Amino acid sequence: MKRCVIYVFSGTGNTKLCADLYKKYFEPLGVETEVFSVRMKDGKYVEYPDPAAFDLAGFAFPVHGFNCPKVMNDFVKQLPGLSEKKTCFIFKSSGEGLFLNDYASLKIISKLIRKNFDVVSDRRYVMPYNMIFRHTDEMVKSEYIYANALIDLHCREILEGNREKVRVFPLKFWFVPIVRILWLYAKVQGPFMYADKEKCLKCNKCVKNCPLGNIHFDENKGRYVFGTNCVLCVSCSFGCPAKAISIGLLNGWRVNGSYNIEKTAARAELEFPVFPKLKGFKGFLYKGYYRKADRILQENGVKLAKYAENVDNK
């Protein structure tokens, strides 16, 4: 049996859910899969599995401003080089379907290649927004079903030895380094985040959920304090049961509360698929991505209805 490790950074859980789907579809194919969440404590990465001990390695993250989050970039940067070449794949999640998100992996691809990883593919899955606007239940269901179908297909393609071009002409992604200023902005903005004392339940959920250990409760000040080790994953505000956390200048884009993706997707009364009917700005954000997804599934003989039925029958 082959063994695979997936290193995943996930703020609000969308990318982690995708990683769990890889495990779900890999294991029946004879690939024992370990999903490891990349986290930091006291400024250091929590001990992680050695990629040299696995046959395959996956690297996963949410797209932040058309880029890989700095915490994942730095995680890859500090990995030791391998003595033998290791097959690896990348996948990421984004809240909208714009093709610009496809270039978010470029910085870590070059790092992985230098460390003797053979990067055979780079995929992206649209998942519910945790910023800007909340996705409808119908959108959530469609996103989850498509993710199941596309990830199942990708697992089989990896084991069949398929590979794809993961590097593109530089002029196509000139904007990526410019938007990377968000890395610096996140560190500057961190201390301006706060929990409203009147609303705060002091449940400590934000402290437990922060993947970078950037939040602590100051007994002297009687409030939660946010440090400079922030990557704007918004795990704190998204998961706050009292909607008490302000995320600074981006507070107008704040989305609160879990989507309960798997439970929502199992609701048979929800329309599927919903994306062909979206109009205006939402149509612009998603239709192109799902037209391409439909074409890929059709070319590979994948019946999307099978995955819809499996979700409805849960």
Side-chain angles (χ1 to χ4, degrees), residues 13 84 95 107 133 245 272:
E84 297 182 1
K107 197 168 179 65
F133 64 84
I245 296 177
F272 171 83

PDB file of all heavy atoms in Angstrom, residues 13 84 95 107 133 245 272:
ATOM      1  N   GLY A  13     -11.537  26.105   7.520  1.00  0.00           N
ATOM      2  CA  GLY A  13     -11.862  24.690   7.333  1.00  0.00           C
ATOM      3  C   GLY A  13     -12.168  24.237   5.922  1.00  0.00           C
ATOM      4  O   GLY A  13     -12.270  23.033   5.662  1.00  0.00           O
ATOM      5  N   GLU A  84      16.038  11.871  -2.388  1.00  0.00           N
ATOM      6  CA  GLU A  84      15.426  11.239  -3.546  1.00  0.00           C
ATOM      7  C   GLU A  84      14.198  12.021  -3.990  1.00  0.00           C
ATOM      8  O   GLU A  84      13.466  12.543  -3.152  1.00  0.00           O
ATOM      9  CB  GLU A  84      15.030   9.792  -3.225  1.00  0.00           C
ATOM     10  CG  GLU A  84      16.200   8.888  -2.878  1.00  0.00           C
ATOM     11  CD  GLU A  84      15.767   7.460  -2.618  1.00  0.00           C
ATOM     12  OE1 GLU A  84      14.547   7.189  -2.741  1.00  0.00           O
ATOM     13  OE2 GLU A  84      16.621   6.627  -2.286  1.00  0.00           O
ATOM     14  N   GLY A  95     -12.676  31.394  -2.929  1.00  0.00           N
ATOM     15  CA  GLY A  95     -14.086  31.721  -2.735  1.00  0.00           C
ATOM     16  C   GLY A  95     -14.806  32.113  -3.996  1.00  0.00           C
ATOM     17  O   GLY A  95     -16.027  32.258  -4.001  1.00  0.00           O
ATOM     18  N   LYS A 107       4.905  30.579  -6.270  1.00  0.00           N
ATOM     19  CA  LYS A 107       6.055  30.785  -5.379  1.00  0.00           C
ATOM     20  C   LYS A 107       6.461  29.489  -4.685  1.00  0.00           C
ATOM     21  O   LYS A 107       7.652  29.206  -4.535  1.00  0.00           O
ATOM     22  CB  LYS A 107       5.742  31.876  -4.366  1.00  0.00           C
ATOM     23  CG  LYS A 107       6.963  32.452  -3.664  1.00  0.00           C
ATOM     24  CD  LYS A 107       6.617  33.704  -2.896  1.00  0.00           C
ATOM     25  CE  LYS A 107       7.828  34.281  -2.168  1.00  0.00           C
ATOM     26  NZ  LYS A 107       8.868  34.745  -3.113  1.00  0.00           N
ATOM     27  N   PHE A 133     -18.779  38.062   0.853  1.00  0.00           N
ATOM     28  CA  PHE A 133     -20.217  37.809   0.974  1.00  0.00           C
ATOM     29  C   PHE A 133     -20.445  36.332   1.276  1.00  0.00           C
ATOM     30  O   PHE A 133     -19.612  35.476   0.945  1.00  0.00           O
ATOM     31  CB  PHE A 133     -20.989  38.230  -0.287  1.00  0.00           C
ATOM     32  CG  PHE A 133     -20.642  37.462  -1.535  1.00  0.00           C
ATOM     33  CD1 PHE A 133     -21.249  36.236  -1.813  1.00  0.00           C
ATOM     34  CD2 PHE A 133     -19.725  37.970  -2.439  1.00  0.00           C
ATOM     35  CE1 PHE A 133     -20.936  35.533  -2.972  1.00  0.00           C
ATOM     36  CE2 PHE A 133     -19.404  37.272  -3.597  1.00  0.00           C
ATOM     37  CZ  PHE A 133     -20.014  36.050  -3.863  1.00  0.00           C
ATOM     38  N   ILE A 245     -15.782  39.910  16.924  1.00  0.00           N
ATOM     39  CA  ILE A 245     -14.431  40.262  16.483  1.00  0.00           C
ATOM     40  C   ILE A 245     -14.454  41.148  15.250  1.00  0.00           C
ATOM     41  O   ILE A 245     -15.070  40.822  14.239  1.00  0.00           O
ATOM     42  CB  ILE A 245     -13.605  38.996  16.216  1.00  0.00           C
ATOM     43  CG1 ILE A 245     -13.426  38.217  17.530  1.00  0.00           C
ATOM     44  CG2 ILE A 245     -12.242  39.343  15.620  1.00  0.00           C
ATOM     45  CD1 ILE A 245     -12.689  36.907  17.372  1.00  0.00           C
ATOM     46  N   PHE A 272     -29.761  21.855  -7.530  1.00  0.00           N
ATOM     47  CA  PHE A 272     -28.427  21.511  -8.005  1.00  0.00           C
ATOM     48  C   PHE A 272     -28.513  21.121  -9.479  1.00  0.00           C
ATOM     49  O   PHE A 272     -29.422  20.369  -9.867  1.00  0.00           O
ATOM     50  CB  PHE A 272     -27.836  20.341  -7.208  1.00  0.00           C
ATOM     51  CG  PHE A 272     -26.557  19.837  -7.813  1.00  0.00           C
ATOM     52  CD1 PHE A 272     -25.362  20.477  -7.536  1.00  0.00           C
ATOM     53  CD2 PHE A 272     -26.550  18.744  -8.687  1.00  0.00           C
ATOM     54  CE1 PHE A 272     -24.179  20.032  -8.113  1.00  0.00           C
ATOM     55  CE2 PHE A 272     -25.368  18.304  -9.273  1.00  0.00           C
ATOM     56  CZ  PHE A 272     -24.187  18.952  -8.969  1.00  0.00           C
TER      57      PHE A 272
END
